[in-house]
Amino acid sequence: MRNHTMVTEFILLGIPETEGLETVLFFLFSSLYLCTLLGNVLILTAIISSSWLHTPMYFFLGNLSMFDLGFSSTTVPKMLLCLSRQNQGISFQGCVSQVFFYHFLGCTECFLYTVMAYDRFVAICYPLRYMVIMNHRVCSILATGTWMGGCVHAIILTSLTFQLPYCGSNQVGYYFCDIPAVLPLACGDVSLAQRVGFTNVGLLSLICFFLILVSYTRIGISISKIRSAEGRQRAFSTCSAHLTAILCAYGPVIIIYLQPNPSAFLGAIIQILNNLVTPMLNPLIYSLRNKDVKSALWNIFHKKYIFHKKFTLENK
């Protein structure tokens, strides 16, 4: 230990196997990131400004939009800097923060999708008691629980990872600080951090996925008992957006973990799908397939247009 200098900065080597494609990827990912920011800000604006969207379903959708804004912003800006070759370095404290917020928001996503599945379960299976069961107090507790649970999860993993000494190489063979990329650089025994990290992430993901599966199994049984085709269609339409979002979130992860020997390039592609593409798709899924959200956005822009026109006429 005395013969090595303690690491104070890490060097991010970027996306594996993309040499020569940095400029193309920079403009592609910049466009996707801007769409992510714009889409989620529009969803939040519609929910906050429209009183008829102040319901449990849209309350959790607003939480999801805040998550998407934070989750994509945790890794994408630094990735864009790496692609532009402006700054590939990240301080030790910055790396700690990136690991913490990545796992904090990633775990929160799992919990939030589970809570949204429970919300749809209550809405379909107990429609007459929906507003009683999903009252403001329950919604606040569930939302707070998702964020607090994600925070505890991230504190455990981040503490185990960075309590180890880092005194050798500082080159991270990835485009952001993640536990599997940082741990090989540690000078101490990493077995405990690896075991806890794998168990914690895997167990939480499986529990959340199981609860979502149970909720939608009950929902499917309830929908099958509805006699009218119109009633079944209306019930299914309230769940289709959430199901699509879950497939976008869990699909890439399932694909990567089913590979016996996943490559670094494939792993990076899956991470980019989770970090950038899924947060961009969520606003499209929930706005384009939802008449209430589209109506709210239309009212916002229409009011702004009328105000701008009136202001212009008054000035003339």
Side-chain angles (χ1 to χ4, degrees):
M1 287 292 296
R2 294 178 181 175
N3 294 330
H4 295 280
T5 303
M6 299 302 292
V7 171
T8 59
E9 183 185 45
F10 292 101
I11 304 298
L12 301 175
L13 300 182
I15 304 172
E17 303 178 28
T18 57
E19 291 78 8
L21 299 173
E22 289 84 0
T23 303
V24 176
L25 293 177
F26 175 81
F27 286 106
L28 174 62
F29 295 153
S30 297
S31 302
L32 294 176
Y33 183 53
L34 289 175
C35 291
T36 300
L37 297 180
L38 178 62
N40 284 288
V41 167
L42 287 176
I43 290 287
L44 276 174
T45 304
I47 293 172
I48 293 171
S49 61
S50 304
S51 58
W52 68 86
L53 296 184
H54 294 173
T55 62
M57 183 178 75
Y58 293 108
F59 171 73
F60 294 123
L61 177 57
N63 277 265
L64 181 63
S65 292
M66 288 191 291
F67 152 78
D68 285 335
L69 287 170
F71 193 58
S72 57
S73 299
T74 299
T75 57
V76 175
K78 191 61 185 177
M79 177 182 68
L80 295 176
L81 284 176
C82 291
L83 289 173
S84 63
R85 300 295 181 185
Q86 292 184 13
N87 184 9
Q88 292 182 271
I90 183 171
S91 66
F92 187 88
Q93 293 78 9
C95 190
V96 173
S97 299
Q98 200 170 53
V99 169
F100 172 80
F101 282 105
Y102 182 76
H103 286 276
F104 164 48
L105 294 168
C107 183
T108 303
E109 177 192 33
C110 289
F111 290 153
L112 192 54
Y113 279 132
T114 307
V115 169
M116 293 174 76
Y118 174 71
D119 173 69
R120 293 298 84 205
F121 160 71
V122 176
I124 300 299
C125 299
Y126 304 99
L128 299 179
R129 298 173 55 197
Y130 175 64
M131 294 307 298
V132 176
I133 297 174
M134 300 298 293
N135 55 60
H136 292 296
R137 182 172 175 272
V138 170
C139 290
S140 299
I141 291 173
L142 289 173
T144 304
T146 61
W147 293 93
M148 292 299 295
C151 185
V152 171
H153 165 81
I155 288 173
I156 293 171
L157 295 188
T158 307
S159 300
L160 287 173
T161 301
F162 290 100
Q163 71 177 359
L164 298 167
Y166 290 86
C167 54
S169 173
N170 68 337
Q171 294 188 340
V172 179
Y174 214 44
Y175 67 94
F176 73 99
C177 285
D178 194 12
I179 292 174
V182 172
L183 272 182
L185 305 180
C187 300
D189 183 13
V190 301
S191 59
L192 177 63
Q194 286 177 334
R195 287 197 303 269
V196 173
F198 182 80
T199 303
N200 204 350
V201 173
L203 190 62
L204 285 176
S205 299
L206 285 175
I207 290 173
C208 290
F209 188 74
F210 174 75
L211 292 175
I212 291 171
L213 189 63
V214 170
S215 295
Y216 275 100
T217 301
R218 293 287 304 274
I219 289 171
I221 294 172
S222 297
I223 291 177
S224 66
K225 294 179 180 179
I226 299 175
R227 295 182 179 181
S228 67
E230 182 182 354
R232 287 194 299 269
Q233 179 64 30
R234 187 165 58 250
F236 180 76
S237 65
T238 64
C239 304
S240 57
H242 183 233
L243 277 172
T244 307
I246 289 173
L247 290 175
C248 291
Y250 280 93
V253 177
I254 292 173
I255 291 172
I256 189 64
Y257 280 105
L258 287 178
Q259 299 291 323
N261 295 305
S263 66
F265 176 72
L266 180 59
I269 294 298
I270 298 301
Q271 292 281 23
I272 290 170
L273 286 173
N274 279 332
N275 299 353
L276 187 57
V277 178
T278 300
M280 182 197 69
L281 290 178
N282 279 340
L284 297 177
I285 292 168
Y286 284 102
S287 61
L288 294 180
R289 298 173 60 89
N290 192 298
K291 294 180 181 179
D292 292 335
V293 175
K294 287 190 289 186
S295 176
L297 290 174
W298 166 254
N299 288 337
I300 291 170
F301 288 116
H302 186 62
K303 288 179 181 178
K304 287 187 176 181
Y305 171 75
I306 292 175
F307 176 79
H308 177 72
K309 188 175 181 180
K310 183 179 178 181
F311 180 77
T312 305
L313 291 174
E314 288 177 353
N315 286 341
K316 288 182 178 180

